[in-house]
Amino acid sequence: MALSCSNLCSNLSLTRLCGLRTNRISNGLYFPYGSCQSRLPLCRHYSSSKVRRGIGRYVASSLQRVNTKYEGFLKRRFPRFYQLYHTFTEGFKLLFRDAKDVQRIKAKMFSDGVQFKDLPYREMEKLRQFRRDMIKAVPLVVISIPPFANYLVFVLMYFFPRQLLIPHFWTPQQKEEFQGLYHSLRAQHHWSVLKGLESTSQQVKDGQLQRRLKDLCATVQSGAIPKVSEILAVRSLFSGPPLGIKRMSVDQMRLVSPLLFLTPHLPGFLIGRRLNNHGLVLLQLDRALSRLGPHQLSDSELRKACYVRGLHSNSVGINQYREWLSQWLQVSSSLKDSEVSLLLHSIVFLSANYPKGASRH
């Protein structure tokens, strides 16, 4: 009798202890001999994945609060450094966004078998610009490889932003300043290109074509803008000798290279290859833009499209930009791939005197 009472008390104590333990969780009674199925909802409710997500959200919100306080501190105490810091953080966001867009475009090209020339205009322009930016960024990445070299890189980027940084990391003021500077350097070669054409015209055996080329150069040198028909009248000279993209003299190639922001300080065969590649990309961009319609471009896209093709002026209005781009597309839409050299020289023909020159449509 005493033994049975002792067993009853021990079972009751165990039951009460287990009940107290589970009351902290679910207000229910927990029996150690119960089915395992009754405990599955609790396991699912407190799964490790939900705990990890909760911890992740908490850490992210905490870091965001700390970052906001840090930015506020920099803005109050070190405004110039804050501007640099803000420009870099926003630049990295833009760069990562562009990288994702490029990855998506290339994945589509691979999966659908789409060639570069068949892409929509905006996607084609995205790939072209991203490639140029990455080529410019490579030397900076190489410099930063040695240990502790990142500190030197930061100093170099601060003092030489135009030479070392891609446009993602320029302030709006720097973008305007640097684009104006690059264009002025490009414009310095306009008259050299025309002089080179005049000199090359002596090699043209057809008297009529020689006279047309000289008249075209004289028109631009007089401060006027030639007609589209005057430019296309000499197209045969730019598909073969002496001005075809693969038949030009090395000296003329060196004069044309800065029009596309390409260095002329390379061996002749490399200059010719680069001019041909960039010229074909520009021609394909023009064809894609014609399919889209230039009226579909936003104001910023329109200015950028004209800048790539040689026009940059603070005194030019949006309507004038559209008019000029329409004239450019009239020329490019008439050209074959073998006549891409004429497209490159049209940077001088159409933009050297715009908007001062009298248009001769």
Side-chain angles (χ1 to χ4, degrees), residues 220 225-228 231 309 311 324 327-329 331 345-354:
V220 180
I225 301 174
K227 298 177 182 177
V228 171
I231 296 175
R309 291 157 178 80
L311 179 64
W324 185 89
Q327 188 177 7
W328 172 278
L329 292 177
V331 175
H345 285 82
S346 294
I347 294 176
V348 177
F349 297 150
L350 293 177
S351 67
N353 299 314
Y354 200 89

Side-chain angles (χ1 to χ4, degrees), residues 190-200 217 221 252 255:
H190 286 172
W191 306 116
S192 300
V193 172
L194 292 174
K195 289 294 184 181
L197 288 176
E198 283 186 326
S199 176
T200 305
C217 294
Q221 289 171 330
Q252 186 67 13
L255 295 175

Side-chain angles (χ1 to χ4, degrees), residues 178-188 261 307 310-312:
F178 296 161
Q179 284 187 349
L181 178 60
Y182 280 130
H183 178 71
S184 65
L185 294 174
R186 171 172 58 184
Q188 291 176 5
F261 306 117
Y307 183 82
L311 179 64
H312 178 74

Side-chain angles (χ1 to χ4, degrees), residues 28-66:
L29 193 61
Y30 173 78
F31 291 96
Y33 306 107
S35 171
C36 292
Q37 297 295 327
S38 62
R39 298 197 299 272
L40 286 178
L42 292 176
C43 296
R44 285 197 296 266
H45 184 69
Y46 291 97
S47 63
S48 59
S49 60
K50 290 188 176 181
V51 171
R52 285 197 298 268
R53 285 198 296 269
I55 293 175
R57 285 194 295 267
Y58 174 76
V59 172
S61 61
S62 299
L63 289 175
Q64 188 174 5
R65 285 196 300 270
V66 171

Side-chain angles (χ1 to χ4, degrees), residues 85-330:
Y85 168 81
H86 181 73
T87 301
F88 269 75
T89 53
E90 293 300 315
F92 275 114
K93 291 178 184 178
L94 292 174
L95 182 61
F96 290 146
R97 186 184 66 185
D98 286 349
K100 289 179 65 176
D101 290 342
V102 168
Q103 184 180 18
R104 174 185 56 80
I105 295 169
K106 289 191 173 183
K108 184 181 74 171
M109 292 174 64
F110 178 78
S111 61
D112 299 344
V114 179
Q115 296 183 359
F116 177 82
K117 64 180 181 179
D118 298 323
L119 289 172
Y121 171 76
R122 289 186 175 92
E123 293 184 354
M124 193 181 293
E125 172 61 22
K126 177 77 71 175
L127 289 181
R128 184 199 71 84
Q129 187 61 51
F130 190 80
R131 181 177 180 274
R132 288 185 69 103
D133 290 342
M134 291 301 99
I135 291 175
K136 184 177 181 180
V138 165
L140 192 65
V141 174
V142 173
I143 294 174
S144 64
I145 291 176
F148 305 106
N150 52 337
Y151 297 105
L152 174 62
V153 169
F154 187 79
V155 173
L156 291 175
M157 289 190 299
Y158 181 80
F159 287 103
F160 305 101
R162 179 176 65 86
Q163 294 85 350
L164 296 177
L165 297 182
I166 59 179
H168 296 78
F169 303 102
W170 293 346
T171 65
Q173 295 80 8
Q174 286 175 332
K175 284 183 180 180
E176 184 175 351
E177 176 188 352
F178 296 161
Q179 284 187 349
L181 178 60
Y182 280 130
H183 178 71
S184 65
L185 294 174
R186 171 172 58 184
Q188 291 176 5
H189 294 82
H190 286 172
W191 306 116
S192 300
V193 172
L194 292 174
K195 289 294 184 181
L197 288 176
E198 283 186 326
S199 176
T200 305
S201 66
Q202 304 300 325
Q203 305 175 24
V204 179
K205 298 179 180 180
D206 189 309
Q208 187 178 17
L209 284 175
Q210 184 185 78
R211 186 171 60 255
R212 287 176 180 175
L213 181 59
K214 287 184 175 181
D215 290 345
L216 179 61
C217 294
T219 297
V220 180
Q221 289 171 330
S222 67
I225 301 174
K227 298 177 182 177
V228 171
S229 58
E230 293 174 336
I231 296 175
L232 295 178
V234 296
R235 59 192 297 178
S236 60
L237 296 176
F238 292 84
S239 59
L243 292 168
I245 196 68
K246 298 181 180 179
R247 308 297 294 272
M248 266 192 296
S249 66
V250 175
D251 290 339
Q252 186 67 13
M253 289 180 183
R254 296 190 192 279
L255 295 175
V256 174
S257 291
L259 302 179
L260 297 172
F261 306 117
L262 300 175
T263 178
H265 308 296
L266 289 174
F269 73 95
L270 284 179
I271 295 177
R273 184 182 302 173
R274 297 185 78 195
L275 281 178
N276 186 47
N277 291 339
H278 283 76
L280 289 176
V281 168
L282 187 58
L283 188 60
Q284 291 166 355
L285 274 171
D286 287 342
R287 291 167 180 168
L289 181 56
S290 297
R291 294 194 298 267
L292 174 67
H295 61 281
Q296 297 287 344
L297 298 181
S298 65
D299 291 352
S300 61
E301 289 175 328
L302 178 64
R303 288 192 178 93
K304 182 178 180 180
C306 292
Y307 183 82
V308 169
R309 291 157 178 80
L311 179 64
H312 178 74
S313 175
N314 293 328
S315 61
V316 175
I318 291 299
N319 291 334
Q320 289 175 297
Y321 272 118
R322 294 192 187 279
E323 179 186 3
W324 185 89
L325 185 58
S326 175
Q327 188 177 7
W328 172 278
L329 292 177
Q330 289 179 45

